[in-house]
Amino acid sequence: MTSQLFAICFNATHPSDLARFWSGVLGWELADAPGDAAAILPPDAAGFRIRFLPGHDPKTVQNRAHFDLTSASPEDQRQTVARALGLGAHHIDVGQLPEDGHVVLADPDGNEFCVIEAGNAFLADTGAIGALACDGTREVGYFWSEALRWPLVWDQDQETAIQSPNGGTKITWGGPPVAPQTGTNRLYFELALPAGADGKAEIERLVSLGAKRADTGEGGGARVLMLDPDGNEFALRPPR
């Protein structure tokens, strides 16, 4: 049985504070989480949660993935930007042009995100998080399409995008040139196996698609850390 996208995880210096920020920006519910971790829940069962896990490495480079938030109107975009700034975000310059319609911000932990202008056809009907936009090759887009069994909704000029058959947030990869990875990614995918699934068989399936094991565990009671074909970390949770 195929594993499912359970969460987008942030390694955060202050997980609970960052969870409150994103809960306020998105209007998602705060959830109970073990230990020092924190999480917020999507508005419907078809979406993924966002988890915030303790991580103390300082941020030194631009993240390889960021959220693109959608806007229903120019006023809605202004309100989203104002709400984020009021909760602790700040404007940043990542090379955007003055004529670009999107607004680039960073959350209180320095993670970049964009508030996209209204009328963006590619992100229509995706929800508050229109896309998780990633640096990545065409190969890694193909890998994740097969790994999650999500169809490709864009495959052109080395750029790829996938989306759940149920709709919602798209995951995109911008193609070359891909920024080199420096240390552990702050954002990564966490997959979960359905109840009764064979964890060892799923690991073997992911490896056959191009993933690699990144630890020495056997996939029993704990999460298994793996790498996708571009070397990005992702985690596989045991069956619940």
Side-chain angles (χ1 to χ4, degrees), residues 46-165:
F48 53 82
R49 65 184 59 200
I50 304 176
R51 300 184 66 215
F52 305 91
L53 307 175
H56 304 293
D57 291 338
K59 188 173 188 297
T60 58
V61 297
Q62 186 172 319
N63 289 340
R64 298 182 93 189
H66 68 269
F67 288 142
D68 284 339
L69 308 186
T70 57
S71 303
S73 66
E75 178 60 23
D76 183 44
Q77 184 186 29
R78 287 191 289 271
Q79 290 178 355
T80 300
V81 171
R83 185 166 62 253
L85 293 173
L87 291 167
H90 59 275
H91 289 276
I92 57 171
D93 182 359
V94 295
Q96 67 269 30
L97 300 175
E99 62 268 25
D100 288 341
H102 61 276
V103 178
V104 185
L105 303 172
D107 70 20
D109 217 21
N111 301 299
E112 304 85 2
F113 66 99
C114 296
V115 185
I116 305 299
E117 66 276 16
N120 185 296
F122 182 70
L123 300 182
D125 301 321
T126 54
I129 303 177
L132 177 67
C134 310
D135 283 347
T137 61
R138 188 184 192 193
E139 177 188 14
V140 86
Y142 278 41
F143 166 82
W144 281 110
S145 178
E146 291 291 333
L148 296 174
R149 294 207 165 99
W150 287 14
L152 283 163
V153 295
W154 183 263
D155 183 10
Q156 186 172 314
D157 299 328
Q158 299 296 309
E159 298 176 354
T160 51
I162 63 175
Q163 186 180 31
S164 166

